[in-house]
Amino acid sequence: MISIAIDGPGGAGKSTIARTLAKDMGYLYVDTGALYRAIGLYARRNGAAPGDTDRVTALLPDIQLDLRWVEGIQRVYLNGEDVSEEIRLPEISMAASDVSAMVPVRDFLLELQRDMARKHHVVMDGRDIGTVVLPDAQVKIFLTADPEERARRRCRELEEKGLPGDFQQVLAELRQRDQQDQNRAAAPLRQAEDAVLADTTGLTLEESLALVKRIVKERAGNDL
Ligand code: DC
C-alpha cells in the first residue's frame, strides 16, 4: 500500500489539498484531525474541563468512532451519530487541540489510523502522520503558510459557511493552537526529517495543489 502523509498547522490548506490529491490519484483521503475533533466534542458534551486527562481517559471506552466516505468526502460517526458538521465549529478546534495533547487519546487513535493505511492507498493529513503514525510513508509533505495568510483563509471558510469570524480573533486562536500543538510532549507538530516543506504563502489553492503534486511526483516517481 502507498501512503502520502501531509502534516502542518491549521489553516494551511491541508484538507482541501489532500482531498483533491486523493481524488485525482484514486486514493482514500483520511482527515485525522476529524478524529481528535470528535473526541473533543464528546469531552465537551460530557462536561470534561479542558486539560482534564483523567476524565477524558475515563470517557474513551465509551467512544466508538467510524469514518465513512460518501463520494470521496469523509464523514465521521461518533457512537453512530454523524458529527461531521458539528466538529467544524470553531469552539471544537480548541477542544480537539486540548484532547490531542493527551497520551491516552493519541494511543486510542493510533491503530485506527494505521489500520486504514494498511488496507488502502491513502493521503492522510494531520500533525504527526509523517513523524509517528506512518513513519514509512512513501511521500511526506509539511504544508504550511504564514499565520496571517492562514487566518485569512480560515475567515473565508467560515464566511462561506455563514459563520463570519473576526480576523484578529481567528488569528489569535490559530496562534494559540499552533503553540499548543507544537509544544506538547506527545507527538508534537513538527516537520519529519524526510518531509518536503511546501510553503503556500502567497499561492492560490490551484498553485498550492500544483506544488504538492510536483513534490509527490518527484518523491514517488514511478512507484505510484
Ligand atoms: O487538522 P484539524 O485542525 O482538524 O485538527 C484539530 C486538532 O487535532 C489540532 O489542533 C491538533 C489535533 N491533531 C493532532 O494532534 N494530530 C493529528 N494527526 C491531527 C490533528
Side-chain angles (χ1 to χ4, degrees):
M1 289 296 164
I2 293 172
S3 301
I4 298 175
I6 303 186
D7 290 303
K14 288 192 308 286
S15 53
T16 312
I17 288 174
R19 189 185 320 111
T20 312
L21 182 68
K23 185 164 175 253
D24 290 356
M25 298 180 69
Y27 285 16
L28 189 66
Y29 166 52
V30 183
D31 164 11
T32 61
L35 300 168
Y36 291 93
R37 285 172 179 271
I39 294 182
L41 173 65
Y42 192 79
R44 264 176 76 102
R45 281 185 180 173
N46 285 278
D52 187 344
T53 306
D54 290 343
R55 175 93 181 100
V56 174
T57 305
L59 291 171
L60 291 175
D62 303 333
I63 299 179
Q64 167 69 40
L65 291 178
D66 291 300
L67 296 182
R68 296 179 207 162
W69 285 264
V70 181
E71 286 163 17
I73 309 284
Q74 177 184 294
R75 312 287 306 178
V76 190
Y77 288 79
L78 169 62
N79 295 334
E81 175 194 352
D82 185 349
V83 293
S84 311
E85 318 298 335
E86 198 174 347
I87 58 168
R88 297 294 151 201
L89 294 173
E91 58 268 30
I92 303 302
S93 302
M94 210 54 213
S97 180
D98 286 339
V99 297
S100 76
M102 302 173 183
V103 172
V105 170
R106 306 205 71 84
D107 289 347
F108 180 76
L109 293 177
L110 189 59
E111 268 314 298
L112 181 69
Q113 298 169 82
R114 286 189 175 156
D115 194 49
M116 280 181 282
R118 270 193 292 269
K119 292 180 179 151
H120 309 272
H121 295 315
V122 292
V123 178
M124 193 175 281
D125 83 23
R127 302 291 187 286
D128 63 334
I129 309 306
T131 49
V132 175
V133 179
L134 304 176
D136 298 327
Q138 284 80 353
V139 183
K140 297 182 187 179
I141 296 171
F142 194 81
L143 195 76
T144 188
D146 281 355
E148 285 78 9
E149 172 126 3
R150 291 188 280 124
R152 270 195 298 280
R153 293 177 188 167
R154 237 324 113 80
C155 282
R156 226 176 294 137
E157 267 172 33
L158 289 169
E159 257 165 46
E160 282 164 12
K161 285 187 198 160
L163 298 165
D166 172 68
F167 175 77
Q168 288 304 336
Q169 190 188 340
V170 169
L171 178 62
E173 282 173 7
L174 202 131
R175 283 188 195 278
Q176 190 190 349
R177 207 146 63 93
D178 283 0
Q179 269 295 98
Q180 199 160 294
D181 294 345
Q182 284 162 358
N183 294 307
R184 67 185 181 214
L189 167 65
R190 64 174 180 80
Q191 183 178 342
E193 272 171 24
D194 51 351
V196 181
L197 179 69
D199 187 340
T200 67
T201 307
L203 301 187
T204 63
L205 185 61
E206 287 72 23
E207 289 166 341
S208 308
L209 184 62
L211 170 64
V212 165
K213 283 188 167 172
R214 218 163 39 238
I215 295 171
V216 170
K217 210 164 180 187
E218 277 168 18
R219 275 290 159 127
N222 296 330
D223 291 349
L224 301 186

